[in-house]
Amino acid sequence: MRKHQWFAALLSLICTGLGMFYIGTPGMIIGGVLLMALQGAALYIFFITLGFLGLIIGPLVIVLHIVGLIIPIVYFNYRSPKKPMFDEKRRRQLSSPWKIILRTLIGLALFAGSIYGGYTWGSSPFMKTAAEKRVVQEAAESYLEQKYSEPFKVTEVSYTWAVSSYNLRAHSEQAPDLEFTLNSDDGSPPTLSNDTYLNLLWGKQLEEQLKPLLDELYPNQAFAQAYVFSDSETLERNYNSLGQEADGAVRQNVSLIVFADLAAANLPEEQERVLELIRKLPSVTVKGETDLQINYYPSDLNTPDTAKKIGQDFDYMRGLPSTHFFREFDISKMASADDIEIREM
C-alpha cells in the first residue's frame, strides 16, 4: 500500500486532484472532478478580471491544490476497527494496473481540459482567434500591395484589447530586411493605417548618404540610423525627391552611435566636430528640420562583433550604458560650439 500512497501523493503534487483519480473510488473521482473544475473556474475568473482578484484567487488555488494532496494521504492512512473490510476493498481497488492507468489518464485529461478551458474562456474577450488575425493579415497584405504596387508579407499580428486595435509587422517581399509596422482596427472589413514603410525606406536611403560624411568626421567610429517623416501624402520612394513642398513638410531624425573616449580635456574638440557635422548635414539631407541624437560609448567596445550586432539591430547598444549624450531637435539652431551641449551620463 505504501507505494500506492506515495505515487498518489506524487500525482496530486503534479496535478490537482490527479491522485484521487489514481485511487479511483466513486467518491474520490467526484471529489477530483470538483477540485479540477474549481481550478479551471479560478483561472477563468483571474483572466476575466484582468488579474485584479489575484490576491484572492492565488491563495484559493494553492488551498485547492493542498486539499487534493492531503485527501489521498488521509485515505491511505485511515484505519478503523469498526470497518474491517475497508482495507480489503482498498487493496481490490488498486489491484488492477490497467484500471489505475485508465482512470489516471482520464483524470489528467480532465485536469488539462479544465486549465485550458479556464484560460481560453477567461482570456477570449481580450484576444483574437487565429482565424480573426488571418483576416486582418490578408487585408493588410492586400492594402499594402494596392498602395505600393508590390507584394508584402505580414509577419506578426497582435491585438490590443484596450484600444480594440491590431499592431502588425510586415516587410516588402523585395526587401525582407526592411521590417515596418502598421495598425488596423477590428472592424469588418478592417481599416488599415499608419504604416511606416516609406519612413523606414527613406531612412535607409539617408543612412547610405550619411556614410561618407561619417567616414570623414568619425572614421571607423560611428554608426547611423535615420527615420524620415513627411507631412504630405506622397508615395514617393526616392528620399532625395522629398522636401519640394512647403518648408517643414519633412523632418529627419538622425541617431548616431559614436565610439570615443570623451573627457574634460577633449570635450571642446568633440563639440567642434559635432558642429562641423551639423554644418555639413544639410548637404546630405533634404529640405526640412533635422533632429540629431548622439550616444557615446567607450572606444574599447568598438569591435568587429559589436559592429556586426549594430548592423543587425541598431538598438543593441541600448543595453549598455553610454558615457555621454547629445540631443538637438532642430540643428538649424546650432550656430557655434558653445551651443553644443554634450552631457555626461
Side-chain angles (χ1 to χ4, degrees):
M1 280 296 147
R2 184 163 293 276
K3 69 176 183 179
H4 290 295
Q5 175 182 342
W6 288 113
F7 201 72
L10 177 62
L11 291 174
S12 296
L13 187 63
I14 296 172
C15 300
T16 301
L18 189 57
M20 299 168 72
F21 273 83
Y22 176 87
I23 294 170
T25 64
M28 287 289 179
I29 289 177
I30 292 173
V33 169
L34 181 61
L35 288 177
M36 292 175 182
L38 289 173
Q39 288 273 32
L43 190 60
Y44 169 80
I45 295 171
F46 177 82
F47 277 99
I48 207 71
T49 60
L50 302 178
F52 288 118
L53 295 181
L55 292 177
I56 298 174
I57 293 172
L60 174 61
V61 168
I62 294 173
V63 168
L64 292 173
H65 190 73
I66 293 174
V67 169
L69 179 62
I70 290 175
I71 290 176
I73 295 175
V74 171
Y75 174 83
F76 281 104
N77 286 280
Y78 176 74
R79 297 288 186 276
S80 174
K82 297 180 180 180
K83 298 179 180 179
M85 299 298 294
F86 182 80
D87 285 342
E88 181 61 29
K89 288 181 179 179
R90 187 160 49 190
R91 278 192 290 270
R92 288 200 303 269
Q93 188 69 22
L94 299 169
S95 64
S96 177
W98 74 268
K99 288 183 179 179
I100 293 176
I101 292 173
L102 178 61
R103 59 182 179 248
T104 301
L105 290 176
I106 292 173
L108 183 62
L110 288 174
F111 177 79
S114 69
I115 298 300
Y116 177 79
Y119 170 80
T120 302
W121 294 333
S123 61
S124 61
F126 317 109
M127 302 176 68
K128 292 294 183 179
T129 65
E132 290 172 316
K133 290 183 178 180
R134 190 159 50 249
V135 169
V136 175
Q137 176 183 349
E138 293 172 354
E141 290 174 348
S142 176
Y143 162 81
L144 292 168
E145 183 171 354
Q146 292 180 18
K147 183 175 181 179
Y148 297 111
S149 301
E150 60 177 296
F152 287 81
K153 178 66 177 177
V154 173
T155 57
E156 182 182 327
V157 180
S158 60
Y159 180 70
T160 305
W161 69 268
V163 292
S164 300
S165 69
Y166 291 89
N167 302 302
L168 302 89
R169 300 188 72 86
H171 63 76
S172 166
E173 292 189 0
Q174 299 175 8
D177 293 337
L178 188 65
E179 192 173 55
F180 61 94
T181 61
L182 67 159
N183 303 117
S184 171
D185 63 14
D186 62 354
S188 182
T191 301
L192 284 300
S193 61
N194 301 328
D195 74 87
T196 59
Y197 174 54
L198 290 179
N199 304 104
L200 293 176
L201 181 63
W202 295 328
K204 289 294 181 184
Q205 295 172 17
L206 176 54
E207 289 169 20
E208 290 299 316
Q209 296 178 184
L210 284 168
K211 285 181 179 179
L213 178 56
L214 294 179
D215 288 341
E216 174 190 345
L217 296 174
Y218 296 96
N220 301 317
Q221 292 178 271
F223 299 85
Q225 183 183 63
Y227 190 87
V228 180
F229 302 86
S230 176
D231 295 337
S232 69
E233 297 297 324
T234 180
L235 296 181
E236 174 61 58
R237 285 175 169 78
N238 186 353
Y239 165 71
N240 290 320
S241 297
L242 298 176
Q244 298 176 2
E245 300 86 1
D247 288 344
V250 177
R251 182 175 183 85
Q252 293 114 154
N253 174 265
V254 177
S255 297
L256 301 183
I257 290 173
V258 173
F259 292 98
D261 298 318
L262 298 187
N266 63 0
L267 202 57
E269 180 183 345
E270 180 58 25
Q271 289 174 303
E272 291 289 348
R273 184 159 60 166
V274 172
L275 181 62
E276 183 68 13
L277 172 65
I278 288 173
R279 287 172 175 169
K280 291 185 176 182
L281 271 176
S283 66
V284 296
T285 61
V286 300
K287 182 174 62 176
E289 291 186 2
T290 300
D291 169 1
L292 177 62
Q293 175 178 317
I294 307 176
N295 288 87
Y296 294 89
Y297 294 87
S299 59
D300 59 3
L301 294 179
N302 189 12
T303 65
D305 182 59
T306 301
K308 180 180 179 181
K309 290 178 178 177
I310 294 174
Q312 294 170 344
D313 180 8
F314 189 82
D315 292 334
Y316 165 73
M317 294 302 295
R318 289 188 178 179
L320 301 173
S322 59
T323 61
H324 293 77
F325 175 79
F326 169 78
R327 180 69 182 269
E328 177 53 49
F329 291 97
D330 184 1
I331 62 172
S332 65
K333 298 177 181 179
M334 301 288 100
S336 69
D338 293 335
D339 297 325
I340 309 297
E341 182 183 0
I342 299 176
R343 289 173 289 176
E344 185 175 358
M345 301 300 289

